């Protein structure tokens, strides 16, 4: 990039700025080139002034950065599609496939044949390098699919997190309105001499608590939107309308052992560990595959270590799969219990409304019954969202674990 600054005598000086990334760090170097004729006197600008002008180049005017809030309607599949296309990690994984393919092809082209018997470093090292490069290439393709699974699962979670936060905000607004009404009644009663000061103080404390919960719910919704928007490529201030509701469906599993076997067969991490063990078994008969002599006993131990790593990986994902399954079942029990509570709260609200109509209950009691019903419905919705997410995690536990590691 070329920029121009002027020195203290208003002479134009060209600036060549070079940017490159080394080890993940952006490095900027620059050189000054005088635009004066040869032999002309040059007064270099003061460093502070020069740096100030240089770093100002390309800055964004805050006025031009303002934008209208976008409110596009999105169903879940549309959100997943946006997240997949916006994901830098998926783009990086795709590049990794190309990179490892080039390395694999290069290592393969260096071998005219595969030696059947142990030989020398000149034959064994290229074979080991070819095997390693080929395994990395094959794993990069599985990693790409795994990254897609992780992004899709994360999108589902953040999509439902926004909906749960919206529901909690609605509940907080209802509770805040009710608390404010009770405070107004208590203030009126206290002024009229029909309510004790203790009642007024209690209403004030309840109102402060309700307002604090309302502010917290607003913050949680904003936080959920920012996280979701970042994932799908929208501005933080955008507020997309999420049109797909959570549908609660119990998890149907005929055989948990069969599901565990399915996960172990499909899991990219388990696949890689098993292939590493196979490769180590092949290299066991090569004395010089690292470029120097390795005793047979050491090579034998390396095979055992690779097998143990594979076994540990399988145990990990077996335990995770079973843990997720029982967690899903616990959520189903919690959801069922909350649905029964909703039925009870609905009857209590009906009774309170009937009593209010005949003068046997106050409006405060009706509002309290409404709040209890709204709270139960909100908890049921949160259980349904969490349950639906964990069902997807049960299908692909590797994506679930990968997402937890990124948090």
């Amino acid at each position: 990039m070329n920029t121009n600054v002027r020195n203290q005598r208003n002479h134009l000086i060209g600036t060549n700025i070079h940017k490159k990334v080394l080890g993940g760090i952006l490095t900027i170097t620059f050189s000054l080139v005088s635009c004066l004729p040869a032999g002309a006197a040059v007064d270099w600008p003061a460093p502070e002034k020069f740096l100030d002008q240089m770093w100002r180049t390309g800055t964004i005017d805050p006025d031009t950065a303002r934008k209208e809030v976008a409110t596009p309607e999105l169903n879940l599949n549309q959100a997943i599609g946006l997240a997949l296309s916006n994901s830098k990690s998926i783009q990086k994984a795709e590049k990794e496939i190309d990179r490892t393919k080039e390395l694999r092809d290069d290592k393969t082209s260096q071998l005219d044949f595969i030696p059947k018997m142990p030989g020398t470093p000149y034959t064994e090292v290229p074979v080991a390098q070819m095997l390693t490069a080929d395994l990395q290439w094959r794993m990069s393709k599985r990693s790409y699919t795994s990254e897609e699974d992780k992004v899709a699962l994360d999108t589902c979670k953040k999509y439902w997190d926004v909906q749960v936060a919206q529901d909690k905000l609605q509940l907080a607004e209802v509770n805040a309105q009710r608390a404010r009404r009770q405070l107004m009644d208590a203030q009126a009663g206290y002024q009229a001499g029909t309510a004790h000061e203790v009642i007024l103080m209690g209403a004030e404390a309840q109102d402060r608590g309700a307002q604090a919960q309302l502010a917290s719910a607003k913050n949680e919704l904003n936080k959920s939107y920012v996280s979701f928007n970042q994932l799908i490529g929208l501005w933080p201030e955008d507020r997309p309308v999420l049109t797909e509701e959570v549908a609660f469906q119990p998890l149907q599993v005929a055989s948990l052992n069969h599901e565990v076997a399915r996960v172990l067969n499909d899991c990219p991490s388990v696949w890689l560990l098993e292939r590493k063990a196979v490769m180590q078994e092949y290299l066991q008969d090569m004395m010089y595959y690292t470029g120097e002599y390795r005793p047979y006993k050491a090579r034998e131990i390396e095979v055992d270590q690779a097998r143990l790593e594979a076994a540990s990986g399988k145990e990990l994902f077996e335990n995770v799969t079973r843990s997720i399954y029982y967690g899903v079942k616990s959520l189903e029990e919690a959801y069922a219990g909350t649905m029964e509570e909703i039925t009870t709260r609905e009857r209590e609200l009906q009774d309170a409304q009937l009593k209010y109509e005949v003068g046997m209950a106050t409006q405060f009691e009706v509002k309290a019954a409404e709040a209890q019903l709204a709270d139960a419905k909100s908890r049921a919705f949160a259980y349904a969202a969490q349950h639906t997410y964990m069902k997807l995690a049960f299908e692909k536990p590797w994506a679930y674990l990968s997402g937890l590691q990124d948090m």
Side-chain angles (χ1 to χ4, degrees):
M1 179 176 69
N2 297 325
T3 61
N4 293 321
V5 296
R6 292 186 179 273
N7 63 5
Q8 295 173 351
R9 297 186 180 180
N10 203 35
H11 292 155
L12 189 64
I13 297 176
T15 311
N16 294 328
I17 300 176
H18 310 278
K19 298 181 181 180
K20 58 183 178 179
V21 177
L22 295 175
I25 300 175
L26 176 63
T27 303
I28 301 178
T29 60
F30 59 87
S31 58
L32 301 181
V33 181
S34 175
C35 299
L36 297 175
V42 177
D43 287 333
W44 299 107
E48 294 81 2
K49 184 176 181 180
F50 166 74
L51 291 173
D52 181 63
Q53 293 184 34
M54 186 184 73
W55 294 126
R56 283 184 184 179
T57 303
T59 56
I60 299 175
D61 186 346
D63 290 333
T64 62
R66 294 181 183 141
K67 60 180 291 296
E68 295 294 330
V69 176
T71 58
E73 291 189 354
L74 293 175
N75 60 35
L76 187 56
N77 285 334
Q78 290 172 328
I80 292 174
L82 288 173
L84 292 175
S85 62
N86 184 62
S87 173
K88 301 299 185 294
S89 61
I90 290 179
Q91 296 172 22
K92 183 179 178 181
E94 186 175 14
K95 294 292 184 181
E96 182 66 7
I97 294 176
D98 297 335
R99 187 187 74 86
T100 54
K101 178 66 164 56
E102 291 295 327
L103 294 174
R104 176 205 182 253
D105 291 346
D106 177 66
K107 296 301 180 183
T108 302
S109 66
Q110 296 176 16
L111 287 175
D112 296 328
F113 65 95
I114 304 298
K116 294 183 179 180
M117 297 294 293
T120 65
Y122 300 103
T123 57
E124 292 183 356
V125 170
V127 171
Q129 291 178 341
M130 181 195 68
L131 289 173
T132 301
D134 183 73
L135 183 60
Q136 289 175 342
W137 170 62
R138 294 177 187 274
M139 186 58 199
S140 68
K141 293 189 291 184
R142 289 178 175 262
S143 296
Y144 176 82
T145 303
S146 178
E147 192 64 30
E148 286 185 320
D149 293 338
K150 185 191 77 171
V151 171
L153 184 62
D154 193 32
T155 306
C156 293
K157 182 180 187 302
K158 287 180 168 57
Y159 188 97
W160 293 321
D161 282 348
V162 170
Q163 292 184 327
V164 169
Q166 288 173 330
D167 186 75
K168 289 183 177 180
L169 177 57
Q170 292 176 359
L171 177 62
E173 288 173 342
V174 171
N175 289 337
Q177 292 172 1
R178 183 169 62 90
R180 181 56 54 88
R181 182 62 187 175
Q182 291 175 2
L183 174 60
M184 293 172 63
D185 291 344
Q187 290 173 335
Y190 178 75
Q191 292 175 356
T194 58
H196 195 273
E197 184 180 7
V198 174
I199 296 178
L200 176 60
M201 294 174 61
E204 290 174 340
Q206 188 174 10
D207 179 69
R208 288 193 299 269
Q211 296 301 323
Q213 290 179 353
L214 177 59
S216 177
K218 290 179 179 178
N219 290 334
E220 283 301 314
L221 178 57
N222 289 331
K223 179 181 176 182
S224 298
Y225 260 124
V226 168
S227 182
F228 177 71
N229 290 351
Q230 181 181 16
L231 189 65
I232 66 174
L234 296 180
W235 290 82
E237 61 268 24
D238 289 338
R239 292 297 178 263
V241 179
L242 309 185
T243 60
E244 190 164 334
E245 293 286 341
V246 174
F248 180 86
Q249 294 290 338
L251 176 64
Q252 302 293 335
V253 173
S255 169
L256 181 56
N257 289 334
H258 174 78
E259 292 299 317
V260 170
R262 174 191 60 80
V263 168
L264 296 182
N265 183 68
D266 296 342
C267 179
S269 298
V270 172
W271 180 90
L272 176 61
L273 291 173
E274 289 180 336
R275 296 311 180 276
K276 282 185 175 180
V278 171
M279 184 177 73
Q280 208 63 48
E281 290 171 2
Y282 183 85
L283 297 175
Q284 184 179 3
D285 294 329
M286 296 185 178
M287 296 179 289
Y288 301 100
Y289 73 89
T290 63
E292 60 182 13
Y293 174 75
R294 299 177 75 82
Y296 179 80
K297 188 62 178 178
R299 286 176 276 140
E300 192 177 51
I301 293 174
E302 289 170 350
V303 172
D304 292 339
Q305 289 175 326
R307 289 171 177 169
L308 288 172
E309 284 289 334
S312 296
K314 294 176 71 172
E315 288 178 1
L316 170 64
F317 280 95
E318 178 178 355
N319 292 336
V320 168
T321 303
R322 294 182 184 277
S323 177
I324 293 176
Y325 172 79
Y326 291 117
V328 170
K329 288 302 177 181
S330 296
L331 286 170
E332 289 178 1
E333 293 296 329
Y335 180 80
T338 307
M339 293 305 294
E340 292 181 359
E341 181 184 350
I342 288 175
T343 301
T344 301
R345 297 302 184 188
E346 287 175 339
R347 287 199 300 265
E348 291 176 349
L349 176 58
Q350 291 175 355
D351 292 343
Q353 289 172 335
L354 290 174
K355 290 180 180 179
Y356 176 75
E357 291 175 358
V358 297
M360 297 177 62
T362 64
Q363 188 178 24
F364 172 79
E365 292 172 321
V366 174
K367 293 296 183 181
E370 290 177 345
Q372 290 176 334
L373 175 59
D375 178 70
K377 288 183 176 180
S378 180
R379 283 186 282 113
F381 183 78
Y383 283 138
Q386 179 69 7
H387 175 266
T388 307
Y389 168 69
M390 294 307 295
K391 278 176 60 180
L392 295 177
F394 179 72
E395 292 295 318
K396 298 180 178 181
W398 55 89
Y400 172 70
L401 280 184
S402 182
L404 291 180
Q405 292 171 356
D406 290 345
M407 292 179 63

